[in-house]
Amino acid sequence: MMQMLMDLTAYPYPSRRTVVLGRRGAVATSQPLAALAGMEMLHKGGNAVDAALAAAIALTVLQPTSNGIGSDAFAFVHDGVTLHALNASGKSPLALDRRVFGEEGVPRWGWKAVTVPGAPSAWWALWSRFGRLPFEELFAPAIRYAEEGFPVSPYTAAAWGRAGYLKLRGPAFRPFQEVFFPQGRAPRPGELWRSPLHAATLKEIARTGAESFYRGRLAQQIVRFAEATGGYLSTRDLAEHRAEWVTPLSLRYRDLEVWELPPNTQGLAALLALGILEGWDLASMPRDSVESLHLQIEAMKLAFVEVQTHVGDPRFMRVSAQELLNPDRLAKLRARIGEHALTPEAQAPLGGTVYLAAVDGELMVSLIQSNYMGFGSGVLVEGTGIALQNRGAGFCLEPGHPNDYGPGKRPFHTIIPGFLTRGGVPLGPFGVMGGHMQPQGHLQVVVRMVDQGLNPQAALDAPRWQWLEGRRVALEPSFPSEVIEGLRVRGHDVEVSDEGGLFGFGMGQIILRYQGAWVAASEPRADGLALAW
């Protein structure tokens, strides 16, 4: 029988997604099989936390280009009364002194960029407080995909192929390359990939409630490999790690409350930008007008300057998040915006992340986890499938800065889940993954829904802009040419990107309560899927 040849990455004709509606629950992720893993838990009688965790654990296998077992994680859970926030980010190794870094700063690859992974602790903390199904059951889909293999989806294959990890040399990188590039190349779209090592490690985490990862056999394997290959993680680093329940931040924007995780995340940037925009009536402006886009871009720039100046591990911040959100301070920032583009002193961090949302009749979950910069550090603990994150690259080396590198310190974090309420009543989770695009994505989908009246899917479908640095801003090609030229007249250095839609403009998911039903949407710039029932 002749095999039909097809290009799984080519879509020459416009396609349209619509919102997905359901009454009992919904799951939305950036990978369809992960969404199915979450829905599997709901069908078994689990709740939204069970569904979110099954999806998150499955994504460590299904989308390793953005997250892994060695990730960090953050989450919101609304129980109908209270919004709970979890920070499961890890700290820098106690044995790693800042004097080992050269003038180039913390490197992207290798052990110097590795911080303690927090994702397994997040899984256990969330399940311990809210889970309904047995903890081990949440791992079943991920283990099945790892053992039996799965066809790599198109966007994940593209990210895999763009990754530059094969050029890394040294014993610390060899296990990583053997697991993720077994044929000396990335898997192609539709090609089966499996990892028995991931399956074995996930079984161990499931059986021990993540205890093995921080204080047991897996912890010993991590430390032994670090000692053998020039790493810095110690038994103490892992044993002392704890996921922390924290107080979330919020800002009222029009008639909604927008919620973000507090520092060490950049969630504050989204709130600051929205707080600045509160001074203009964007609803009265045409949807993609030059004036509306100019104001959004300028507000975002000023927010990034504030965050990159003041945010780090909150134990070392000299200006609190609440002080930064003070209305008088926001008014002073707002007054700086004029007719022409500003040139801020701020740099844009990179990223690589997965975001997912899950809801049921009782709980709503907004969860994000990431290895950072794609696969992370390029270090995979031999014999485990644990690809370690490179979150240490989020530190700066500026003495006195709250994000200056130090041992036992949490770095500045790009990953941010979002949540919306109205008058304290929960509406639902939302998020947009993708490095410094995340707060920009949060701002844009909120403006699209609140000021422009778009439904969640239309808000995700809408063309996006991305501030890059200075006056540089990237726009997707679907913006009208007169808008692009109008922004240039106002002093913006506009770049129109054909390829940025793959990675540069973010990938989001939204689930909101509307007229007694769940309205779920998934990003068209990813392989994602929204399911409801």
Side-chain angles (χ1 to χ4, degrees):
M1 181 177 179
M2 182 182 298
Q3 183 175 350
M4 182 171 61
L5 298 178
M6 63 182 75
D7 184 348
L8 300 181
T9 64
Y11 298 90
Y13 304 108
S15 182
R16 189 186 76 174
R17 297 185 182 191
T18 60
V19 293
V20 178
L21 301 169
R23 292 190 61 192
R24 300 179 64 179
V27 180
T29 80
S30 55
Q31 214 284 350
L33 296 178
L36 286 170
M39 190 57 70
E40 183 179 325
M41 299 304 119
L42 292 180
H43 287 166
K44 287 182 176 181
N47 61 25
V49 166
D50 296 321
L53 291 177
I57 295 163
L59 283 166
T60 67
V61 177
L62 297 167
Q63 201 174 343
T65 54
S66 299
N67 79 131
I69 302 171
S71 290
D72 270 353
F74 298 87
F76 283 124
V77 179
H78 204 297
D79 61 9
V81 177
T82 303
L83 183 64
H84 306 270
L86 184 70
N87 180 336
S89 62
K91 297 176 181 177
S92 54
L94 293 168
L96 181 56
D97 189 274
R98 79 191 309 279
R99 289 174 294 183
V100 305
F101 302 118
E103 293 182 359
E104 74 280 4
V106 182
R108 295 184 182 181
W109 322 125
W111 278 110
K112 291 179 183 177
V114 173
T115 54
V116 175
S121 72
W123 305 339
W124 178 252
L126 289 164
W127 178 84
S128 297
R129 190 163 186 175
F130 297 105
R132 181 182 297 163
L133 296 175
F135 188 61
E136 291 185 66
E137 194 161 347
L138 311 183
F139 289 73
I143 292 168
R144 183 172 67 243
Y145 294 135
E147 288 182 334
E148 299 176 3
F150 66 94
V152 177
S153 49
Y155 281 96
T156 298
W160 216 315
R162 289 162 59 114
Y165 292 87
L166 282 173
K167 66 184 179 183
L168 300 176
R169 296 291 178 265
F173 304 119
R174 179 180 50 78
F176 177 94
Q177 293 164 346
E178 290 175 349
V179 167
F180 291 114
F181 300 88
Q183 301 180 61
R185 61 167 176 82
R188 300 184 177 98
E191 197 169 14
L192 289 180
W193 182 79
R194 57 176 55 86
S195 177
L197 292 178
H198 280 74
T201 298
L202 291 173
K203 288 177 182 178
E204 176 80 0
I205 294 172
R207 183 182 62 81
T208 65
E211 184 69 13
S212 178
F213 192 95
Y214 296 102
R215 287 163 286 277
R217 185 174 66 82
L218 289 174
Q220 293 170 5
Q221 286 182 264
I222 294 170
V223 172
R224 282 199 302 268
F225 188 65
E227 292 172 344
T229 57
Y232 301 90
L233 285 180
S234 68
T235 300
R236 180 183 172 188
D237 291 323
L238 293 166
E240 292 185 353
H241 172 80
R242 297 290 188 280
E244 296 182 12
W245 296 99
V246 296
T247 303
L249 292 175
S250 70
L251 178 131
R252 185 174 178 82
Y253 183 71
R254 315 307 186 200
D255 67 337
L256 295 185
E257 298 89 35
V258 183
W259 296 86
E260 299 283 353
L261 262 291
N264 53 311
T265 79
Q266 66 172 340
L268 191 58
L271 299 184
L272 289 167
L274 288 168
I276 294 169
L277 286 175
E278 183 72 20
W280 288 280
D281 182 11
L282 298 187
S284 67
M285 302 176 189
R287 186 174 292 158
D288 290 323
S289 68
V290 173
E291 183 179 9
S292 177
L293 294 175
H294 171 73
L295 292 173
Q296 293 175 56
I297 294 165
E298 294 302 285
M300 197 72 249
K301 288 181 190 176
L302 293 171
F304 269 123
V305 172
E306 288 285 274
V307 165
Q308 293 186 24
T309 301
H310 299 292
V311 170
D313 187 321
R315 297 173 299 163
F316 299 87
M317 288 173 57
R318 295 183 296 275
V319 182
S320 72
Q322 293 300 339
E323 289 176 284
L324 293 170
L325 288 171
N326 182 281
D328 291 338
R329 190 181 185 108
L330 291 174
K332 290 178 182 178
L333 292 172
R334 189 180 303 125
R336 295 184 57 192
I337 297 178
E339 293 295 314
H340 296 279
L342 295 168
T343 305
E345 294 297 325
Q347 297 297 318
L350 301 174
T353 307
V354 294
Y355 171 78
L356 62 96
V359 299
D360 62 19
E362 300 174 4
L363 302 174
M364 305 182 192
V365 184
S366 184
L367 188 151
I368 198 162
Q369 64 187 25
S370 167
N371 263 11
Y372 200 39
M373 298 185 188
F375 285 94
S377 65
V379 177
L380 182 142
V381 179
E382 190 168 28
T384 69
I386 301 170
L388 296 168
Q389 63 187 10
N390 59 341
R391 279 291 164 186
F395 283 113
C396 69
L397 292 179
E398 180 183 332
H401 192 285
N403 193 43
D404 181 28
Y405 177 82
K409 189 174 180 181
R410 284 190 167 106
F412 175 84
H413 243 286
T414 58
I415 62 176
I416 51 172
F419 202 90
L420 296 174
T421 61
R422 177 181 284 118
V425 177
L427 294 180
F430 77 101
V432 177
M433 63 189 80
H436 87 303
M437 183 64 208
Q438 293 182 57
Q440 303 190 63
H442 282 208
L443 171 123
Q444 289 176 68
V445 297
V446 169
V447 167
R448 293 289 190 185
M449 291 189 293
V450 177
D451 293 307
Q452 300 172 2
L454 297 185
N455 69 56
Q457 188 61 58
L460 291 174
D461 292 345
R464 292 194 189 129
W465 52 265
Q466 178 186 173
W467 173 75
L468 301 172
E469 62 180 357
R471 296 188 179 187
R472 290 179 60 215
V473 59
L475 267 67
E476 290 190 296
S478 47
F479 278 106
S481 59
E482 59 269 24
V483 170
I484 295 169
E485 290 308 313
L487 288 172
R488 287 174 175 155
V489 169
R490 292 201 178 208
H492 297 278
D493 183 4
V494 179
E495 303 171 14
V496 180
S497 172
D498 287 318
E499 298 182 356
L502 277 173
F503 309 102
F505 292 100
M507 304 177 188
Q509 319 294 327
I510 303 173
I511 306 176
L512 298 181
R513 173 71 79 179
Y514 181 70
Q515 295 185 349
W518 296 115
V519 180
S522 184
E523 177 69 58
R525 300 167 185 81
D527 297 311
L529 179 68
L531 294 171
W533 70 316

